[in-house]
Amino acid sequence: MVTMAGERTAYDPSRANAEAWAHASEWGAARRMNDLETLMWRSERHPAHSSTTAALLMLDTAPDWARFRAAHDWAGRLIPRMRQRVQESALPIGAPGWVSDDNFDLDYHLRRVRVPAPGGMPQLLAFAQSAAMVPFDRSRPLWEGTLIEGLPDGKAAYLLKLHHSLTDGLGSVQLLSLLQSRTREHTPDKPVARSAEGADPSANDLAIDTINHHVRAMPSAASKLVSAGVQAITNPRGTTDSALRFVASARRTAIPAAKGSPLFEGRTGAAWRFGVLECELADLKAAAKAASGSVNDAYIAALLGGMRIYHEQHGLSLRSLPMVMPVSLRRDDDPMGGNKWAGAMFAGPMGITDPAERIAVLRGLVLSLRVEPALDSFSFLAPIANLLPSGVGAAAAKVSASADMSASNVPGLPYQTYMAGAKVERVFPFGPLPGVAVMAAMVTHGGTCGVGFNMDGSVIHDTDRLVECMGDGFEEVLALGG
């Protein structure tokens, strides 16, 4: 099953905490990084090409710090990955592994700050964007959590910062579901951590794993090569047609069919600027249903409407905008955590003013992307890029730089949750800027859609206006549902 990001996947986050906790040790249980994670880890170049993701959780009150800290200590012991660091292979082409951090210090990873007065959303976002831009200490576990106090009416926020090589958007939702409770009261019967199985891999172990992996893959690769050769001899026309179809598919999914906006030329990715919006999931569903589309179609249509309004205010009228959208490749039996996705390029129909027509066009585009033969072509390129110097991998990872906007949509938790007694009211996600001018991400929580924008401040100097235009784009779409 191939699932578009933003549409329901096999993992059901609404299952009870007890059942989820029983599988907590499975989150990110892989011994080493896969090829995509390795590429993100080694190709990272701050600040222009960062792999940092973040989630901002809005809380109805400031939780008790001792209880909050104890909850993180428990979670870190329950989920082994949270206390593991990266171990490089002795071979430069070998995938890194995960090993226990013998010097793990919870007080380094969990912080507590107060935002300056008046403590409103501008001050909160200013702190979040600055914290997200600080590179991780690559010798420690790749996460940081910050409790942010000083918000109006005694409220607080929690900023969870993760490295993308740990997990993708769906994996982050899985992680948050494990860290949150269904009740405000303390849960006395939470499970304890199980003993770790097996020794941590050393640099030499990882090198041997790499050699064994390539040795095991050789017979299969040889068999495929022979099969392809036989096919080419016995059916040359069919082989040529298949190759041409794959190349054409790769062009459609990896090369946007739209010229970039002149407003976003010369971007550097060196200045992150955050913004947020929210709407009710029921309203977005109603709008999508009215236009015979999905929630994801309505979401993308709203973003493109906002982009059209923004460009019109700058005296520009564009028919389309080059976009990239992550597509989840998770299957029913995939373990929690990790990264399972591919990026699909397409020309967003920004110039269509009728939101219902825009949703209809996007419905066709999305459905066609799901069946593209070359959708997961990056999984073939990543292993090759990892065999080359990291600078080459960094260049390959910037393939999305030709797109102006990236849009991610992840289904969140449909029920109410709490962190150490504090009610989680909203969740706003922020993805990295993979060379794009605007990274938009949406997560639903308790019936509310939280949309986080990461904007490249090197070319977008009026970020407040852009967020306002995005809000107008959402109003355009939501009006379809009455």
Side-chain angles (χ1 to χ4, degrees), residues 348-367:
M350 186 173 73
I352 300 177
T353 57
D354 182 352
E357 183 183 351
R358 197 159 62 242
I359 290 175
V361 172
L362 283 165
R363 174 84 304 222
L365 281 172
V366 168
L367 291 176

Side-chain angles (χ1 to χ4, degrees), residues 120-465:
M121 187 58 77
Q123 289 76 32
L124 180 59
L125 293 178
F127 171 81
Q129 68 195 22
S130 296
M133 286 195 68
V134 177
F136 281 100
D137 182 341
R138 293 166 74 91
S139 67
R140 298 175 181 265
L142 302 175
W143 70 273
E144 295 171 7
T146 305
L147 177 63
I148 307 167
E149 299 174 294
L151 304 186
D153 303 321
K155 295 189 175 186
Y158 174 68
L159 180 67
L160 178 61
K161 175 180 164 184
L162 300 171
H163 195 282
H164 213 323
S165 61
L166 271 178
T167 191
D168 54 22
L170 288 170
S172 297
V173 170
Q174 294 169 351
L175 177 62
L176 286 171
S177 73
L178 297 171
L179 300 180
Q180 299 174 58
S181 171
R182 297 288 294 271
T183 65
R184 196 182 289 271
E185 293 72 29
H186 172 66
T187 305
D189 56 347
K190 292 189 292 188
V192 296
R194 292 182 295 180
S195 300
E197 299 180 1
D200 288 334
S202 66
N204 290 335
D205 291 333
L206 293 170
I208 294 172
D209 281 351
T210 299
I211 295 172
N212 289 336
H213 171 74
H214 287 293
V215 169
R216 288 193 300 268
M218 287 175 65
S220 176
S223 176
K224 290 179 180 178
L225 184 62
V226 171
S227 177
V230 172
Q231 180 71 14
I233 295 172
T234 59
N235 186 14
R237 182 172 180 177
T239 302
T240 302
D241 289 346
S242 297
L244 291 175
R245 284 197 298 270
F246 188 88
V247 171
S249 175
R251 290 184 60 186
R252 289 191 295 269
T253 56
I255 302 175
K259 185 179 179 181
S261 167
L263 296 180
F264 303 143
E265 291 177 350
R267 55 184 180 264
T268 65
W272 289 13
R273 299 291 183 265
F274 285 179
V276 296
L277 288 176
E278 64 181 73
C279 70
E280 293 305 305
L281 177 60
D283 295 340
L284 196 58
K285 283 183 175 180
K289 183 178 180 181
S292 300
S294 70
V295 168
N296 192 61
D297 300 330
Y299 163 63
I300 301 297
L303 295 176
L304 288 170
M307 276 293 190
R308 187 196 76 251
I309 296 170
Y310 179 75
H311 280 76
E312 288 175 348
Q313 292 187 5
H314 285 80
L316 293 174
S317 178
L318 303 180
R319 294 181 57 188
S320 56
L321 190 79
M323 289 188 60
V324 62
M325 181 169 59
V327 179
S328 175
L329 302 176
R330 291 180 182 272
R331 300 183 181 276
D332 294 350
D333 56 350
D334 283 335
M336 292 191 293
N339 285 270
K340 287 271 188 174
W341 57 273
M345 296 271 197
F346 65 100
M350 186 173 73
I352 300 177
T353 57
D354 182 352
E357 183 183 351
R358 197 159 62 242
I359 290 175
V361 172
L362 283 165
R363 174 84 304 222
L365 281 172
V366 168
L367 291 176
S368 65
L369 285 172
R370 294 176 67 175
V371 296
E372 286 284 4
L375 177 62
D376 192 25
S377 58
F378 202 65
S379 65
F380 300 104
L381 299 177
I384 299 173
N386 289 331
L387 298 176
L388 302 174
S390 61
V392 177
K398 289 182 180 179
V399 65
S400 62
S402 55
D404 284 343
M405 181 167 65
S406 178
S408 173
N409 173 19
V410 180
L413 305 179
Y415 50 79
Q416 187 55 63
T417 61
Y418 301 85
M419 295 191 74
K423 178 181 177 181
V424 180
E425 296 183 321
R426 301 285 186 274
V427 177
F428 296 109
F430 301 97
L433 281 177
V436 299
V438 178
M439 170 66 198
M442 184 172 79
V443 167
T444 54
H445 182 84
T448 300
C449 303
V451 184
F453 297 97
N454 186 0
M455 299 161 282
D456 189 340
S458 68
V459 290
I460 304 174
H461 306 294
D462 50 353
T463 53
D464 289 342
R465 177 190 286 193

